[in-house]
Amino acid sequence: GAADLLTLRAARALAAADVVVHDGLVGDDVMALIPVSARRISVAKRRDRHTLAQEAIGDLLVAEALAGHTVIRLKGGDPFIFGRGGEEVSACTAAGVPVEVIPGVTSALGGAAAAHMPLTHRDHAQAVTFVTGHAKDNGEPDLDWRALAALGHTLVVYMGVSRAEAIAARLIENGRAASTPVAVIEKGTTDREKIIKGVLSELGDIVREGGVEGPALLVIGEVAAKADGLLLHEIAHLERRAA
């Protein structure tokens, strides 16, 4: 997200970097904080397009560190929430490389704050659950859809854009009301942020007709009605006026 959401510790770490191994979704304003003297290595991952396999990223971090460099692994959001940080820490510690993990503002919290949407609310949601819509090797995640549908509180789906319609269908099939409010937050906290609201039965249409490409979050639950966003017909009206 936005560069000024980095912690002071993260900014200091970047300033001391010799090598920065970064994801493709890190924003330009964050990249601008990297010293000009530091070497930048992109290990960008998109669905079906990986610069390096996960194991190779671990090997790269280890090799650069053992060469005597101060290595920063720069990710968007938080490294320990669907960020594969655990796998990379394991690779480093197995090789005897000391590691410090600096937490980040995970996209669910950043996006919700940008949308003025509480993820928990005394009247509407006493809990929140984070799940991924994208499993290892590009498969479908092994989720208990019946349990997720029955919870009745806020559900946040990371990396679920390509499966939005299927996710909605699974939840409705298992008992979640089709009229449950939803919000889709694309590129949250950045100057390209897009927030679209609707109901669960429309989730696939919101992604498709709203031109959502990602990275984006799917927020499902009563709190989504509180998001500062537009409905699909409002977006269509604005686009007609612009044309």
Side-chain angles (χ1 to χ4, degrees):
D4 53 4
L5 287 177
L6 287 174
T7 63
L8 293 174
R9 182 176 295 185
R12 284 196 294 266
L14 275 177
D18 297 320
V19 178
V20 177
V21 179
H22 63 90
D23 287 348
L25 298 179
V26 177
D28 292 341
D29 53 347
V30 175
M31 295 293 291
L33 299 177
I34 299 172
V36 294
S37 59
R39 186 155 43 92
R40 304 179 184 197
I41 303 174
S42 173
V43 291
K45 280 187 172 68
R46 289 294 186 98
R47 189 167 58 94
D48 299 328
R49 297 198 311 276
H50 291 182
T51 303
L52 286 179
Q54 187 60 47
E55 294 77 9
I57 294 174
D59 293 341
L60 172 64
L61 296 175
V62 168
E64 292 290 348
L66 293 180
H69 302 137
T70 297
V71 183
I72 300 296
R73 175 69 172 102
L74 181 59
K75 296 173 177 284
D78 185 275
F80 278 2
I81 298 183
F82 305 123
R84 305 185 186 184
E87 297 171 55
E88 292 169 8
V89 167
S90 294
C92 290
T93 54
V97 172
V99 179
E100 177 187 10
V101 179
I102 300 176
V105 176
T106 187
S107 53
L109 304 185
H116 293 169
M117 176 186 61
L119 294 177
T120 62
H121 191 287
R122 289 192 299 172
D123 296 329
H124 304 296
Q126 282 68 56
V128 57
T129 297
F130 298 161
V131 300
T132 177
H134 181 85
K136 191 173 182 179
D137 299 324
N138 206 31
E140 182 173 329
D142 183 18
L143 298 173
D144 187 340
W145 294 103
R146 184 178 297 277
L148 291 174
L151 288 173
H153 62 231
T154 308
L155 179 64
V156 180
V157 184
Y158 286 67
M159 297 175 285
V161 168
S162 65
R163 294 188 171 92
E165 192 161 12
I167 289 167
R170 290 270 198 172
L171 290 170
I172 292 170
E173 287 168 7
N174 284 280
R176 194 83 191 238
S179 59
T180 301
V182 299
V184 177
I185 305 173
E186 182 181 33
K187 299 180 176 68
T189 78
T190 74
D191 56 6
R192 294 181 292 164
E193 178 180 272
K194 179 190 294 183
I195 303 170
I196 311 175
K197 301 195 301 183
V199 296
L200 185 56
S201 61
E202 302 173 325
L203 188 56
D205 293 335
I206 289 173
V207 168
R208 186 168 47 252
E209 297 176 26
V212 176
E213 298 177 352
L217 291 170
L218 314 178
V219 182
I220 300 162
E222 298 304 317
V223 298
K226 295 183 173 295
D228 285 347
L230 296 175
L231 301 171
L232 267 180
H233 71 84
E234 293 173 323
I235 291 176
H237 175 69
L238 291 174
E239 288 175 347
R240 285 195 297 271
R241 289 185 60 183

mmCIF file of all heavy atoms in Angstrom, residues 54-55 84 87 132 134-141:
data_model
loop_
_atom_site.group_PDB
_atom_site.id
_atom_site.type_symbol
_atom_site.label_atom_id
_atom_site.label_comp_id
_atom_site.label_asym_id
_atom_site.label_seq_id
_atom_site.Cartn_x
_atom_site.Cartn_y
_atom_site.Cartn_z
ATOM 1 N N GLN A 54 9.144 -20.583 -5.491
ATOM 2 C CA GLN A 54 9.294 -20.215 -4.087
ATOM 3 C C GLN A 54 10.603 -20.730 -3.491
ATOM 4 O O GLN A 54 11.302 -20.018 -2.764
ATOM 5 C CB GLN A 54 8.111 -20.748 -3.281
ATOM 6 C CG GLN A 54 8.099 -20.279 -1.834
ATOM 7 C CD GLN A 54 8.031 -18.770 -1.711
ATOM 8 O OE1 GLN A 54 7.231 -18.121 -2.361
ATOM 9 N NE2 GLN A 54 8.895 -18.198 -0.897
ATOM 10 N N GLU A 55 10.963 -21.977 -3.799
ATOM 11 C CA GLU A 55 12.203 -22.536 -3.274
ATOM 12 C C GLU A 55 13.424 -21.743 -3.761
ATOM 13 O O GLU A 55 14.401 -21.552 -3.027
ATOM 14 C CB GLU A 55 12.343 -24.001 -3.696
ATOM 15 C CG GLU A 55 11.300 -24.932 -3.100
ATOM 16 C CD GLU A 55 9.945 -24.835 -3.787
ATOM 17 O OE1 GLU A 55 9.854 -24.158 -4.844
ATOM 18 O OE2 GLU A 55 8.974 -25.407 -3.261
ATOM 19 N N ARG A 84 3.774 -15.888 2.363
ATOM 20 C CA ARG A 84 4.832 -16.899 2.243
ATOM 21 C C ARG A 84 6.071 -16.567 3.068
ATOM 22 O O ARG A 84 7.152 -17.105 2.835
ATOM 23 C CB ARG A 84 5.210 -17.118 0.776
ATOM 24 C CG ARG A 84 4.011 -17.471 -0.093
ATOM 25 C CD ARG A 84 4.387 -17.811 -1.514
ATOM 26 N NE ARG A 84 3.201 -18.001 -2.338
ATOM 27 C CZ ARG A 84 3.232 -18.373 -3.607
ATOM 28 N NH1 ARG A 84 4.388 -18.604 -4.196
ATOM 29 N NH2 ARG A 84 2.113 -18.531 -4.284
ATOM 30 N N GLU A 87 7.717 -19.611 4.897
ATOM 31 C CA GLU A 87 8.575 -20.480 4.093
ATOM 32 C C GLU A 87 9.963 -19.878 3.918
ATOM 33 O O GLU A 87 10.981 -20.589 3.934
ATOM 34 C CB GLU A 87 7.924 -20.719 2.729
ATOM 35 C CG GLU A 87 6.584 -21.449 2.805
ATOM 36 C CD GLU A 87 5.863 -21.467 1.473
ATOM 37 O OE1 GLU A 87 6.459 -21.924 0.488
ATOM 38 O OE2 GLU A 87 4.701 -21.006 1.413
ATOM 39 N N THR A 132 -7.774 -17.483 2.073
ATOM 40 C CA THR A 132 -7.212 -17.246 0.744
ATOM 41 C C THR A 132 -8.071 -17.927 -0.314
ATOM 42 O O THR A 132 -8.595 -19.022 -0.095
ATOM 43 C CB THR A 132 -5.764 -17.767 0.647
ATOM 44 O OG1 THR A 132 -5.301 -17.572 -0.701
ATOM 45 C CG2 THR A 132 -5.661 -19.238 1.004
ATOM 46 N N HIS A 134 -6.729 -18.650 -3.148
ATOM 47 C CA HIS A 134 -5.707 -19.154 -4.074
ATOM 48 C C HIS A 134 -4.808 -20.101 -3.307
ATOM 49 O O HIS A 134 -4.099 -19.687 -2.379
ATOM 50 C CB HIS A 134 -4.901 -17.973 -4.618
ATOM 51 C CG HIS A 134 -3.844 -18.343 -5.601
ATOM 52 N ND1 HIS A 134 -4.095 -18.501 -6.939
ATOM 53 C CD2 HIS A 134 -2.520 -18.587 -5.440
ATOM 54 C CE1 HIS A 134 -2.964 -18.818 -7.561
ATOM 55 N NE2 HIS A 134 -1.999 -18.878 -6.669
ATOM 56 N N ALA A 135 -4.818 -21.361 -3.650
ATOM 57 C CA ALA A 135 -4.024 -22.356 -2.932
ATOM 58 C C ALA A 135 -2.702 -22.607 -3.638
ATOM 59 O O ALA A 135 -2.450 -22.109 -4.744
ATOM 60 C CB ALA A 135 -4.803 -23.668 -2.818
ATOM 61 N N LYS A 136 -1.855 -23.403 -3.003
ATOM 62 C CA LYS A 136 -0.567 -23.765 -3.585
ATOM 63 C C LYS A 136 -0.762 -24.454 -4.927
ATOM 64 O O LYS A 136 -1.742 -25.194 -5.117
ATOM 65 C CB LYS A 136 0.182 -24.694 -2.615
ATOM 66 C CG LYS A 136 1.628 -24.936 -2.964
ATOM 67 C CD LYS A 136 2.321 -25.722 -1.867
ATOM 68 C CE LYS A 136 3.792 -25.929 -2.177
ATOM 69 N NZ LYS A 136 4.488 -26.664 -1.107
ATOM 70 N N ASP A 137 0.137 -24.206 -5.868
ATOM 71 C CA ASP A 137 0.084 -24.777 -7.216
ATOM 72 C C ASP A 137 -1.179 -24.362 -7.965
ATOM 73 O O ASP A 137 -1.679 -25.086 -8.825
ATOM 74 C CB ASP A 137 0.180 -26.305 -7.166
ATOM 75 C CG ASP A 137 1.484 -26.781 -6.554
ATOM 76 O OD1 ASP A 137 2.512 -26.117 -6.794
ATOM 77 O OD2 ASP A 137 1.477 -27.793 -5.832
ATOM 78 N N ASN A 138 -1.708 -23.165 -7.610
ATOM 79 C CA ASN A 138 -2.846 -22.576 -8.320
ATOM 80 C C ASN A 138 -4.124 -23.404 -8.196
ATOM 81 O O ASN A 138 -5.027 -23.296 -9.019
ATOM 82 C CB ASN A 138 -2.516 -22.367 -9.803
ATOM 83 C CG ASN A 138 -3.344 -21.252 -10.408
ATOM 84 O OD1 ASN A 138 -3.716 -20.299 -9.728
ATOM 85 N ND2 ASN A 138 -3.658 -21.372 -11.687
ATOM 86 N N GLY A 139 -4.217 -24.228 -7.161
ATOM 87 C CA GLY A 139 -5.422 -25.032 -6.968
ATOM 88 C C GLY A 139 -6.457 -24.300 -6.135
ATOM 89 O O GLY A 139 -6.256 -23.171 -5.688
ATOM 90 N N GLU A 140 -7.593 -24.969 -5.937
ATOM 91 C CA GLU A 140 -8.646 -24.398 -5.103
ATOM 92 C C GLU A 140 -8.317 -24.657 -3.641
ATOM 93 O O GLU A 140 -7.915 -25.759 -3.266
ATOM 94 C CB GLU A 140 -9.998 -25.035 -5.451
ATOM 95 C CG GLU A 140 -11.142 -24.452 -4.647
ATOM 96 C CD GLU A 140 -12.506 -24.954 -5.120
ATOM 97 O OE1 GLU A 140 -12.630 -25.238 -6.329
ATOM 98 O OE2 GLU A 140 -13.407 -25.064 -4.286
ATOM 99 N N PRO A 141 -8.448 -23.638 -2.789
ATOM 100 C CA PRO A 141 -8.106 -23.839 -1.378
ATOM 101 C C PRO A 141 -9.042 -24.845 -0.714
ATOM 102 O O PRO A 141 -10.215 -24.951 -1.060
ATOM 103 C CB PRO A 141 -8.265 -22.440 -0.777
ATOM 104 C CG PRO A 141 -9.216 -21.743 -1.687
ATOM 105 C CD PRO A 141 -8.955 -22.283 -3.065
#
